[in-house]
Amino acid sequence: MSGETAVMEVDKPTQISNGSKSEDVSNGSTSFEGSVIASPSIESFSTLPDQEDLEFSLDADAGDLQVRVDNPQKHLDTLETYVTFRICTRVNIESRVEYKESEYSVRRRYNDFVWLRQKLVESFPTHLIPPLPGKHTLLAQLDRYSKNFVLARLAMLHRFLTRVVAHPVLSYNMSLYVFLTAKPSEFNIHRKSGQGILGRVTDSLQNLTTNYLVRQRSPEFDSVRDYANTLGEKLTQLEKVGRRLQKERQAYQGELNQFQQLFTVWATSEPELRPLLLAFASAIERNTASQQNTLLDSFSATFEQPLKEYLLYVDAVKEALQRRDAVQIEYELAVDELNKKRNEKEQLVNLEGTSGGASSAFNLWKKPAEARDEKIEKLSQLIPNLVRQAEANQDKMQCANENLRSDLERWHVEKKKDIRNLLLCMANQQIQYYEDVLSSWEQVIPEVKCANQTAGSSAAENIPASSSMQFST
């Protein structure tokens, strides 16, 4: 594997203060699957963008369970090459008694995060599970070890895990505990344990929504579905416009570079205008650098990736609504089956009343009558079970509604905050860029004034004496 992106540099891991008791495997020579870890080489990926000083204070506002995802590291195996991320966890063991230590440090790869999310969906099908970054496409596979790709994935994995541990229900899941604390061999056993009964139940619920439709749709959740569709369309359109603006900025950047070169070359052939032309070239160069640093380089991290993440979040909302619909369909099917059996019993009872009048008819239909009685008896025993099942499904649907309703409220609050920060970041970047542009051109003004004064003095010196006398007269 040659090339600059073939090996990633791994900084020495920063130690968690107060003396962690847990083993930090990020500096080990082998991964949890026994593959050789790449040697430190080219670029550093050790810190999370904008979170270099993240600390685990565990005060009242910080929560009793905090995580940090950082320090990506590339692993070379005989069959595959992959990247793992270090996960540092700090716990308040007084409130989280299931945790034996106050600090943990483990390494997990992307597929491990996928396993965790699937386990959360299996355990809490009617909750809104935060999204993960999507898998790389086949086209982007050659670049999946680049710095930009790894840092973008790292940031999204950090936000995913932070949202999970901040959730009042998801954070107590046993699979999350294993994910945050288990040593490599123990974690592999949990991963290979396969899909349990909860997973099969979740799959059956999801299949219901494929084969059946909810008859009596809830207006509340229908409005949420419409909102999610509208938000997804707006974010998609915003992403398209942003990419188009980015291409236009890149094209404009190239034109500015040509513009700056033209002024520089022009200055070599115009000694009198040289200071002014070089001042213009310098201003254009500063504008170009400002646009590159303020707008172009930060586009992916501050605009494109957050929008993609919220598009994934919209998909997660739709998935949660679909799983909630599956619970309602299960309830409606149970009610349908109950009504069917009740109607069947009622018809048999009515048939018994009409055929019991004539003795000859009774004697003639004696065996069918016995079969009918047996069937009525079976239905009498079955209907109470169906009633209990329908009531249980109704309770399950009400719990699903409450779970999803509370998660959606939390999501709306978080969404407003995140989108507000996104827009403020865009505004601040534009303000910074235009301030840099204004400052660059303000630095040209003295040269322009000096050139004007020089041109005026030269013109005055070149005026003929007779003309000057006539003018004075």
Side-chain angles (χ1 to χ4, degrees):
M1 294 191 178
S2 60
E4 291 187 350
T5 59
V7 182
M8 291 195 300
E9 179 180 356
V10 182
D11 284 359
K12 293 182 180 180
T14 56
Q15 297 296 328
I16 304 178
S17 59
N18 300 333
S20 173
K21 297 179 181 179
S22 59
E23 180 182 3
D24 189 345
V25 300
S26 61
N27 249 354
S29 60
T30 59
S31 74
F32 52 81
E33 294 183 0
S35 60
V36 179
I37 294 177
S39 303
S41 181
I42 298 162
E43 295 177 310
S44 173
F45 300 90
S46 62
T47 57
L48 193 65
D50 300 327
Q51 302 222 13
E52 290 88 348
D53 299 326
L54 178 65
E55 296 181 356
F56 299 105
S57 58
L58 283 181
D59 53 26
D61 298 329
D64 53 8
L65 181 63
Q66 297 179 52
V67 294
R68 179 179 62 198
V69 182
D70 62 7
N71 199 283
Q73 193 169 26
K74 187 176 180 182
H75 299 249
L76 304 177
D77 200 352
T78 55
L79 298 178
E80 63 175 338
T81 301
Y82 57 93
V83 175
T84 62
F85 303 88
R86 185 179 62 173
I87 303 172
C88 301
T89 306
R90 178 162 287 186
V91 191
N92 185 343
I93 57 178
E94 294 181 359
S95 57
R96 297 275 185 166
V97 294
E98 66 273 20
Y99 290 85
K100 305 304 180 184
E101 300 178 8
S102 60
E103 297 169 358
Y104 296 89
S105 179
V106 297
R107 298 200 71 86
R108 300 287 184 251
R109 57 189 296 184
Y110 173 78
N111 289 339
D112 299 332
F113 284 86
V114 175
W115 171 87
L116 172 62
R117 188 178 189 277
Q118 181 59 34
K119 286 296 183 181
L120 293 175
V121 171
E122 293 174 7
S123 302
F124 309 102
T126 57
H127 278 282
L128 174 57
I129 311 300
L132 281 172
K135 281 185 173 291
H136 59 84
T137 61
L138 183 61
L139 184 62
Q141 184 172 359
L142 297 177
D143 200 41
R144 63 179 176 144
Y145 302 119
S146 67
K147 180 177 180 179
N148 291 337
F149 181 89
V150 172
L151 288 181
R153 170 167 283 186
L154 182 148
M156 292 185 70
L157 292 177
H158 174 79
R159 285 194 290 269
F160 162 78
L161 206 54
T162 301
R163 287 165 176 157
V164 170
V165 300
H167 195 281
V169 177
L170 304 182
S171 61
Y172 287 90
N173 180 254
M174 188 62 187
S175 296
L176 176 64
Y177 169 79
V178 172
F179 180 85
L180 295 177
T181 63
K183 294 182 179 180
S185 57
E186 181 184 354
F187 183 72
N188 282 338
I189 294 175
H190 282 276
R191 276 210 59 178
K192 295 177 180 178
S193 61
Q195 192 180 52
I197 186 171
L198 287 175
R200 293 194 294 270
V201 171
T202 304
D203 288 342
S204 64
L205 289 179
Q206 292 176 342
N207 292 334
L208 282 178
T209 58
T210 304
N211 300 322
Y212 300 94
L213 293 176
V214 177
R215 286 198 304 270
Q216 297 179 350
R217 305 191 71 94
S218 169
E220 175 187 2
F221 294 108
D222 268 355
S223 63
V224 174
R225 186 178 286 102
D226 293 339
Y227 173 79
N229 291 331
T230 303
L231 179 61
E233 293 173 358
K234 292 179 179 178
L235 293 179
T236 301
Q237 188 65 24
L238 191 61
E239 184 186 18
K240 291 180 180 179
V241 173
R243 286 200 300 265
R244 187 166 66 248
L245 286 175
Q246 181 75 349
K247 290 181 180 179
E248 293 176 356
R249 286 171 182 162
Q250 291 172 346
Y252 178 58
Q253 188 85 338
E255 294 176 353
L256 283 178
N257 288 328
Q258 294 180 4
F259 207 31
Q260 184 259 338
Q261 293 173 6
L262 287 173
F263 274 101
T264 303
V265 173
W266 188 9
T268 61
S269 60
E270 294 281 354
E272 295 181 355
L273 297 177
R274 178 179 175 83
L276 180 61
L277 295 176
L278 291 179
F280 268 79
S282 178
I284 295 173
E285 184 179 10
R286 288 192 294 269
N287 294 345
T288 304
S290 177
Q291 180 172 253
Q292 184 69 43
N293 297 331
T294 308
L295 300 179
L296 294 179
D297 291 344
S298 62
F299 174 77
S300 178
T302 62
F303 183 82
E304 189 176 28
Q305 290 300 330
L307 285 183
K308 287 183 177 179
E309 182 179 13
Y310 261 93
L311 284 172
L312 293 173
Y313 226 142
V314 169
D315 291 338
V317 170
K318 294 178 181 178
E319 292 173 2
L321 290 171
Q322 187 178 14
R323 294 193 297 268
R324 181 261 166 206
D325 287 348
V327 176
Q328 181 175 344
I329 290 173
E330 191 178 28
Y331 164 68
E332 291 177 353
L333 290 177
V335 172
D336 289 345
E337 184 67 14
L338 174 60
N339 293 333
K340 178 181 176 182
K341 296 303 180 183
R342 281 176 170 172
N343 292 335
E344 186 177 351
K345 178 183 177 182
E346 185 177 354
Q347 291 176 0
L348 291 174
V349 171
N350 293 337
L351 181 62
E352 180 182 13
T354 57
S355 62
S359 59
S360 58
F362 178 80
N363 293 331
L364 181 64
W365 294 96
K366 184 176 181 180
K367 290 184 178 179
E370 292 177 355
R372 183 182 62 235
D373 293 341
E374 291 178 0
K375 194 166 186 178
I376 291 175
E377 181 64 24
K378 290 181 179 179
L379 289 173
S380 299
Q381 297 176 359
L382 178 61
I383 288 175
N385 294 332
L386 293 176
V387 170
R388 286 191 292 270
Q389 183 64 41
E391 291 175 348
N393 288 347
Q394 185 179 24
D395 294 340
K396 186 177 178 181
M397 185 181 68
Q398 292 176 351
C399 290
N401 291 343
E402 289 298 324
N403 292 339
L404 188 53
R405 187 178 294 115
S406 61
D407 283 359
L408 287 173
E409 291 176 357
R410 187 179 299 106
W411 175 64
H412 280 300
V413 173
E414 181 182 353
K415 171 178 58 63
K416 290 179 181 179
K417 178 181 177 181
D418 290 343
I419 293 181
R420 176 180 176 273
N421 291 337
L422 170 64
L423 297 178
L424 285 177
C425 181
M426 289 177 56
N428 290 331
Q429 287 176 343
Q430 293 292 335
I431 292 172
Q432 181 62 48
Y433 170 65
Y434 287 114
E435 285 180 347
D436 293 343
V437 171
L438 180 61
S439 175
S440 298
W441 288 113
E442 284 178 343
Q443 296 179 37
V444 180
I445 293 177
E447 293 294 339
V448 175
K449 290 181 177 180
C450 180
N452 288 336
Q453 293 174 359
T454 303
S457 300
S458 300
E461 292 175 358
N462 293 330
I463 296 176
S466 59
S467 300
S468 301
M469 293 175 61
Q470 293 176 2
F471 180 77
S472 61
T473 304

Short mmCIF file of all heavy atoms in Angstrom, two decimals, residues 98-138:
data_model
loop_
_atom_site.label_atom_id
_atom_site.label_comp_id
_atom_site.label_asym_id
_atom_site.label_seq_id
_atom_site.Cartn_x
_atom_site.Cartn_y
_atom_site.Cartn_z
N GLU A 98 -23.75 -0.30 37.47
CA GLU A 98 -23.37 -1.43 36.62
C GLU A 98 -21.93 -1.32 36.14
O GLU A 98 -21.33 -2.32 35.71
CB GLU A 98 -24.32 -1.55 35.43
CG GLU A 98 -24.26 -0.40 34.42
CD GLU A 98 -25.18 0.76 34.77
OE1 GLU A 98 -25.57 0.87 35.95
OE2 GLU A 98 -25.52 1.53 33.84
N TYR A 99 -21.37 -0.11 36.16
CA TYR A 99 -19.99 0.09 35.76
C TYR A 99 -19.08 -0.10 36.97
O TYR A 99 -19.30 0.49 38.02
CB TYR A 99 -19.80 1.49 35.17
CG TYR A 99 -20.46 1.68 33.83
CD1 TYR A 99 -21.80 2.05 33.74
CD2 TYR A 99 -19.75 1.50 32.65
CE1 TYR A 99 -22.42 2.22 32.50
CE2 TYR A 99 -20.36 1.66 31.41
CZ TYR A 99 -21.69 2.02 31.35
OH TYR A 99 -22.31 2.19 30.13
N LYS A 100 -18.05 -0.91 36.80
CA LYS A 100 -17.16 -1.23 37.91
C LYS A 100 -16.03 -0.21 38.06
O LYS A 100 -15.46 -0.06 39.15
CB LYS A 100 -16.55 -2.62 37.70
CG LYS A 100 -17.58 -3.72 37.50
CD LYS A 100 -18.58 -3.79 38.65
CE LYS A 100 -19.62 -4.89 38.41
NZ LYS A 100 -20.66 -4.91 39.46
N GLU A 101 -15.67 0.46 36.98
CA GLU A 101 -14.59 1.43 37.02
C GLU A 101 -15.11 2.78 36.53
O GLU A 101 -16.13 2.86 35.85
CB GLU A 101 -13.41 0.98 36.16
CG GLU A 101 -12.81 -0.35 36.60
CD GLU A 101 -11.67 -0.79 35.70
OE1 GLU A 101 -11.26 0.02 34.84
OE2 GLU A 101 -11.21 -1.93 35.85
N SER A 102 -14.39 3.81 36.88
CA SER A 102 -14.83 5.16 36.51
C SER A 102 -14.33 5.58 35.14
O SER A 102 -14.83 6.56 34.59
CB SER A 102 -14.36 6.16 37.56
OG SER A 102 -12.94 6.15 37.65
N GLU A 103 -13.35 4.86 34.57
CA GLU A 103 -12.79 5.23 33.28
C GLU A 103 -12.51 3.99 32.46
O GLU A 103 -12.07 2.96 32.99
CB GLU A 103 -11.50 6.04 33.46
CG GLU A 103 -11.70 7.37 34.17
CD GLU A 103 -10.39 8.01 34.58
OE1 GLU A 103 -9.34 7.39 34.34
OE2 GLU A 103 -10.42 9.12 35.14
N TYR A 104 -12.77 4.10 31.17
CA TYR A 104 -12.53 3.01 30.23
C TYR A 104 -11.93 3.58 28.96
O TYR A 104 -12.20 4.74 28.58
CB TYR A 104 -13.81 2.26 29.89
CG TYR A 104 -14.46 1.55 31.04
CD1 TYR A 104 -15.39 2.21 31.85
CD2 TYR A 104 -14.16 0.23 31.34
CE1 TYR A 104 -16.00 1.58 32.91
CE2 TYR A 104 -14.77 -0.42 32.41
CZ TYR A 104 -15.69 0.26 33.19
OH TYR A 104 -16.29 -0.38 34.24
N SER A 105 -11.13 2.77 28.29
CA SER A 105 -10.59 3.14 26.98
C SER A 105 -10.54 1.88 26.12
O SER A 105 -9.85 0.91 26.47
CB SER A 105 -9.20 3.76 27.11
OG SER A 105 -8.69 4.09 25.84
N VAL A 106 -11.27 1.88 25.03
CA VAL A 106 -11.32 0.73 24.12
C VAL A 106 -11.18 1.23 22.70
O VAL A 106 -11.28 2.43 22.43
CB VAL A 106 -12.65 -0.05 24.28
CG1 VAL A 106 -12.77 -0.65 25.67
CG2 VAL A 106 -13.85 0.84 23.95
N ARG A 107 -10.97 0.29 21.78
CA ARG A 107 -10.92 0.62 20.36
C ARG A 107 -12.01 -0.16 19.64
O ARG A 107 -12.20 -1.34 19.88
CB ARG A 107 -9.56 0.30 19.74
CG ARG A 107 -8.42 1.10 20.35
CD ARG A 107 -7.21 1.13 19.41
NE ARG A 107 -7.47 1.96 18.25
CZ ARG A 107 -7.28 3.28 18.21
NH1 ARG A 107 -6.84 3.91 19.29
NH2 ARG A 107 -7.54 3.97 17.13
N ARG A 108 -12.74 0.54 18.77
CA ARG A 108 -13.80 -0.09 18.00
C ARG A 108 -13.69 0.39 16.55
O ARG A 108 -13.28 1.52 16.28
CB ARG A 108 -15.18 0.29 18.57
CG ARG A 108 -15.40 -0.14 20.02
CD ARG A 108 -15.59 -1.62 20.15
NE ARG A 108 -15.90 -2.00 21.52
CZ ARG A 108 -15.06 -2.64 22.33
NH1 ARG A 108 -13.85 -2.97 21.90
NH2 ARG A 108 -15.42 -2.94 23.57
N ARG A 109 -14.13 -0.46 15.63
CA ARG A 109 -14.17 -0.10 14.22
C ARG A 109 -15.60 0.26 13.84
O ARG A 109 -16.53 0.11 14.63
CB ARG A 109 -13.65 -1.25 13.35
CG ARG A 109 -14.41 -2.56 13.54
CD ARG A 109 -13.73 -3.70 12.83
NE ARG A 109 -13.71 -3.51 11.38
CZ ARG A 109 -13.25 -4.42 10.53
NH1 ARG A 109 -12.77 -5.58 11.00
NH2 ARG A 109 -13.25 -4.18 9.24
N TYR A 110 -15.75 0.73 12.61
CA TYR A 110 -17.06 1.21 12.17
C TYR A 110 -18.12 0.11 12.27
O TYR A 110 -19.25 0.36 12.70
CB TYR A 110 -16.96 1.72 10.73
CG TYR A 110 -18.28 2.08 10.10
CD1 TYR A 110 -18.91 3.29 10.42
CD2 TYR A 110 -18.93 1.22 9.22
CE1 TYR A 110 -20.13 3.63 9.86
CE2 TYR A 110 -20.15 1.56 8.66
CZ TYR A 110 -20.75 2.76 8.98
OH TYR A 110 -21.95 3.08 8.43
N ASN A 111 -17.79 -1.12 11.87
CA ASN A 111 -18.76 -2.21 11.93
C ASN A 111 -19.23 -2.49 13.35
O ASN A 111 -20.35 -3.00 13.55
CB ASN A 111 -18.17 -3.47 11.31
CG ASN A 111 -18.03 -3.37 9.80
OD1 ASN A 111 -18.70 -2.55 9.17
ND2 ASN A 111 -17.17 -4.17 9.22
N ASP A 112 -18.40 -2.17 14.33
CA ASP A 112 -18.82 -2.35 15.73
C ASP A 112 -19.91 -1.33 16.09
O ASP A 112 -20.83 -1.64 16.84
CB ASP A 112 -17.63 -2.20 16.67
CG ASP A 112 -16.55 -3.25 16.41
OD1 ASP A 112 -16.91 -4.34 15.94
OD2 ASP A 112 -15.37 -2.96 16.66
N PHE A 113 -19.77 -0.12 15.57
CA PHE A 113 -20.83 0.89 15.78
C PHE A 113 -22.13 0.43 15.11
O PHE A 113 -23.22 0.65 15.66
CB PHE A 113 -20.39 2.24 15.22
CG PHE A 113 -19.39 2.97 16.05
CD1 PHE A 113 -18.03 2.71 15.92
CD2 PHE A 113 -19.80 3.93 16.97
CE1 PHE A 113 -17.09 3.39 16.69
CE2 PHE A 113 -18.87 4.62 17.74
CZ PHE A 113 -17.52 4.34 17.60
N VAL A 114 -22.01 -0.17 13.93
CA VAL A 114 -23.20 -0.69 13.25
C VAL A 114 -23.86 -1.76 14.10
O VAL A 114 -25.10 -1.81 14.24
CB VAL A 114 -22.83 -1.24 11.87
CG1 VAL A 114 -24.04 -1.90 11.19
CG2 VAL A 114 -22.29 -0.13 10.98
N TRP A 115 -23.06 -2.64 14.68
CA TRP A 115 -23.60 -3.69 15.57
C TRP A 115 -24.33 -3.07 16.75
O TRP A 115 -25.43 -3.51 17.12
CB TRP A 115 -22.45 -4.56 16.06
CG TRP A 115 -22.83 -5.53 17.14
CD1 TRP A 115 -23.34 -6.79 16.98
CD2 TRP A 115 -22.73 -5.32 18.56
NE1 TRP A 115 -23.57 -7.38 18.21
CE2 TRP A 115 -23.20 -6.50 19.19
CE3 TRP A 115 -22.29 -4.27 19.35
CZ2 TRP A 115 -23.24 -6.62 20.57
CZ3 TRP A 115 -22.34 -4.40 20.72
CH2 TRP A 115 -22.80 -5.56 21.32
N LEU A 116 -23.74 -2.04 17.36
CA LEU A 116 -24.37 -1.39 18.51
C LEU A 116 -25.71 -0.79 18.13
O LEU A 116 -26.71 -0.98 18.85
CB LEU A 116 -23.45 -0.31 19.07
CG LEU A 116 -24.05 0.58 20.16
CD1 LEU A 116 -24.43 -0.25 21.38
CD2 LEU A 116 -23.09 1.70 20.53
N ARG A 117 -25.76 -0.08 17.02
CA ARG A 117 -27.03 0.54 16.63
C ARG A 117 -28.10 -0.51 16.34
O ARG A 117 -29.26 -0.34 16.69
CB ARG A 117 -26.84 1.43 15.40
CG ARG A 117 -28.09 2.25 15.09
CD ARG A 117 -27.90 3.18 13.91
NE ARG A 117 -29.04 4.08 13.80
CZ ARG A 117 -30.19 3.76 13.20
NH1 ARG A 117 -30.34 2.56 12.65
NH2 ARG A 117 -31.19 4.63 13.16
N GLN A 118 -27.70 -1.62 15.70
CA GLN A 118 -28.67 -2.67 15.43
C GLN A 118 -29.20 -3.26 16.74
O GLN A 118 -30.40 -3.55 16.86
CB GLN A 118 -28.02 -3.76 14.58
CG GLN A 118 -28.94 -4.91 14.22
CD GLN A 118 -30.17 -4.47 13.46
OE1 GLN A 118 -30.09 -3.53 12.66
NE2 GLN A 118 -31.30 -5.12 13.69
N LYS A 119 -28.34 -3.43 17.72
CA LYS A 119 -28.78 -3.93 19.02
C LYS A 119 -29.74 -2.95 19.69
O LYS A 119 -30.72 -3.37 20.34
CB LYS A 119 -27.57 -4.18 19.93
CG LYS A 119 -26.77 -5.41 19.55
CD LYS A 119 -27.60 -6.67 19.73
CE LYS A 119 -26.81 -7.92 19.43
NZ LYS A 119 -27.63 -9.15 19.58
N LEU A 120 -29.49 -1.67 19.55
CA LEU A 120 -30.39 -0.68 20.13
C LEU A 120 -31.75 -0.71 19.43
O LEU A 120 -32.79 -0.58 20.08
CB LEU A 120 -29.76 0.72 20.01
CG LEU A 120 -28.51 0.96 20.85
CD1 LEU A 120 -27.93 2.34 20.55
CD2 LEU A 120 -28.81 0.82 22.34
N VAL A 121 -31.74 -0.88 18.11
CA VAL A 121 -33.01 -0.98 17.38
C VAL A 121 -33.78 -2.23 17.81
O VAL A 121 -35.01 -2.19 17.98
CB VAL A 121 -32.76 -1.00 15.86
CG1 VAL A 121 -34.04 -1.31 15.10
CG2 VAL A 121 -32.20 0.34 15.40
N GLU A 122 -33.07 -3.33 18.01
CA GLU A 122 -33.72 -4.56 18.46
C GLU A 122 -34.32 -4.41 19.84
O GLU A 122 -35.43 -4.87 20.11
CB GLU A 122 -32.71 -5.71 18.45
CG GLU A 122 -32.22 -6.11 17.07
CD GLU A 122 -31.12 -7.14 17.14
OE1 GLU A 122 -30.85 -7.64 18.26
OE2 GLU A 122 -30.53 -7.46 16.09
N SER A 123 -33.58 -3.75 20.73
CA SER A 123 -34.05 -3.62 22.11
C SER A 123 -35.10 -2.53 22.28
O SER A 123 -35.98 -2.65 23.13
CB SER A 123 -32.86 -3.31 23.04
OG SER A 123 -31.87 -4.32 22.96
N PHE A 124 -35.02 -1.48 21.47
CA PHE A 124 -35.94 -0.35 21.60
C PHE A 124 -36.51 0.02 20.22
O PHE A 124 -36.20 1.09 19.68
CB PHE A 124 -35.23 0.86 22.21
CG PHE A 124 -34.47 0.55 23.47
CD1 PHE A 124 -33.11 0.40 23.46
CD2 PHE A 124 -35.16 0.40 24.67
CE1 PHE A 124 -32.41 0.11 24.61
CE2 PHE A 124 -34.47 0.11 25.84
CZ PHE A 124 -33.09 -0.04 25.81
N PRO A 125 -37.34 -0.85 19.65
CA PRO A 125 -37.83 -0.60 18.28
C PRO A 125 -38.72 0.63 18.16
O PRO A 125 -38.86 1.16 17.06
CB PRO A 125 -38.61 -1.88 17.95
CG PRO A 125 -38.98 -2.46 19.27
CD PRO A 125 -37.87 -2.12 20.20
N THR A 126 -39.31 1.07 19.26
CA THR A 126 -40.21 2.23 19.18
C THR A 126 -39.55 3.52 19.66
O THR A 126 -40.24 4.51 19.89
CB THR A 126 -41.47 1.96 20.01
OG1 THR A 126 -41.11 1.67 21.38
CG2 THR A 126 -42.25 0.79 19.44
N HIS A 127 -38.24 3.50 19.82
CA HIS A 127 -37.49 4.71 20.15
C HIS A 127 -36.80 5.22 18.89
O HIS A 127 -36.57 4.47 17.93
CB HIS A 127 -36.46 4.45 21.24
CG HIS A 127 -37.03 4.48 22.63
ND1 HIS A 127 -37.30 5.66 23.29
CD2 HIS A 127 -37.38 3.47 23.47
CE1 HIS A 127 -37.78 5.38 24.50
NE2 HIS A 127 -37.85 4.06 24.63
N LEU A 128 -36.45 6.49 18.90
CA LEU A 128 -35.70 7.11 17.81
C LEU A 128 -34.22 6.89 18.06
O LEU A 128 -33.64 7.48 18.97
CB LEU A 128 -36.04 8.59 17.72
CG LEU A 128 -35.24 9.42 16.71
CD1 LEU A 128 -35.36 8.85 15.31
CD2 LEU A 128 -35.69 10.88 16.74
N ILE A 129 -33.60 6.01 17.26
CA ILE A 129 -32.19 5.69 17.42
C ILE A 129 -31.38 6.64 16.54
O ILE A 129 -31.63 6.74 15.34
CB ILE A 129 -31.90 4.23 17.02
CG1 ILE A 129 -32.91 3.28 17.71
CG2 ILE A 129 -30.48 3.86 17.40
CD1 ILE A 129 -32.89 3.32 19.21
N PRO A 130 -30.41 7.36 17.11
CA PRO A 130 -29.60 8.29 16.30
C PRO A 130 -28.93 7.58 15.13
O PRO A 130 -28.65 6.38 15.20
CB PRO A 130 -28.57 8.82 17.31
CG PRO A 130 -29.20 8.62 18.65
CD PRO A 130 -30.03 7.38 18.53
N PRO A 131 -28.66 8.31 14.05
CA PRO A 131 -28.09 7.68 12.85
C PRO A 131 -26.58 7.56 12.93
O PRO A 131 -25.91 8.25 13.68
CB PRO A 131 -28.49 8.64 11.73
CG PRO A 131 -28.50 9.98 12.41
CD PRO A 131 -28.97 9.73 13.82
N LEU A 132 -26.07 6.64 12.12
CA LEU A 132 -24.64 6.49 11.92
C LEU A 132 -24.26 7.07 10.55
O LEU A 132 -25.10 7.14 9.66
CB LEU A 132 -24.24 5.02 11.96
CG LEU A 132 -24.12 4.35 13.32
CD1 LEU A 132 -23.92 2.85 13.15
CD2 LEU A 132 -22.96 4.95 14.11
N PRO A 133 -23.01 7.46 10.36
CA PRO A 133 -22.59 7.84 9.01
C PRO A 133 -22.72 6.66 8.07
O PRO A 133 -22.47 5.51 8.46
CB PRO A 133 -21.13 8.27 9.20
CG PRO A 133 -20.68 7.60 10.46
CD PRO A 133 -21.90 7.55 11.33
N GLY A 134 -23.12 6.92 6.83
CA GLY A 134 -23.31 5.85 5.87
C GLY A 134 -22.00 5.20 5.49
O GLY A 134 -20.91 5.78 5.63
N LYS A 135 -22.09 3.98 4.97
CA LYS A 135 -20.90 3.30 4.48
C LYS A 135 -20.38 4.02 3.25
O LYS A 135 -21.13 4.66 2.53
CB LYS A 135 -21.23 1.84 4.12
CG LYS A 135 -21.31 0.90 5.31
CD LYS A 135 -21.53 -0.52 4.83
CE LYS A 135 -21.43 -1.50 6.00
NZ LYS A 135 -20.06 -1.60 6.53
N HIS A 136 -19.09 3.91 3.04
CA HIS A 136 -18.49 4.54 1.86
C HIS A 136 -19.01 3.85 0.60
O HIS A 136 -19.28 2.65 0.59
CB HIS A 136 -16.96 4.41 1.91
CG HIS A 136 -16.48 3.00 1.97
ND1 HIS A 136 -16.32 2.20 0.86
CD2 HIS A 136 -16.14 2.22 3.03
CE1 HIS A 136 -15.90 1.01 1.21
NE2 HIS A 136 -15.77 1.00 2.53
N THR A 137 -19.18 4.62 -0.44
CA THR A 137 -19.62 4.06 -1.70
C THR A 137 -18.44 3.40 -2.41
O THR A 137 -17.28 3.59 -2.05
CB THR A 137 -20.20 5.15 -2.61
OG1 THR A 137 -19.17 6.10 -2.88
CG2 THR A 137 -21.37 5.85 -1.94
N LEU A 138 -18.74 2.61 -3.42
CA LEU A 138 -17.68 1.95 -4.17
C LEU A 138 -16.76 2.95 -4.83
O LEU A 138 -15.55 2.78 -4.90
CB LEU A 138 -18.30 1.03 -5.23
CG LEU A 138 -17.31 0.19 -6.06
CD1 LEU A 138 -16.52 -0.74 -5.16
CD2 LEU A 138 -18.05 -0.60 -7.12
#
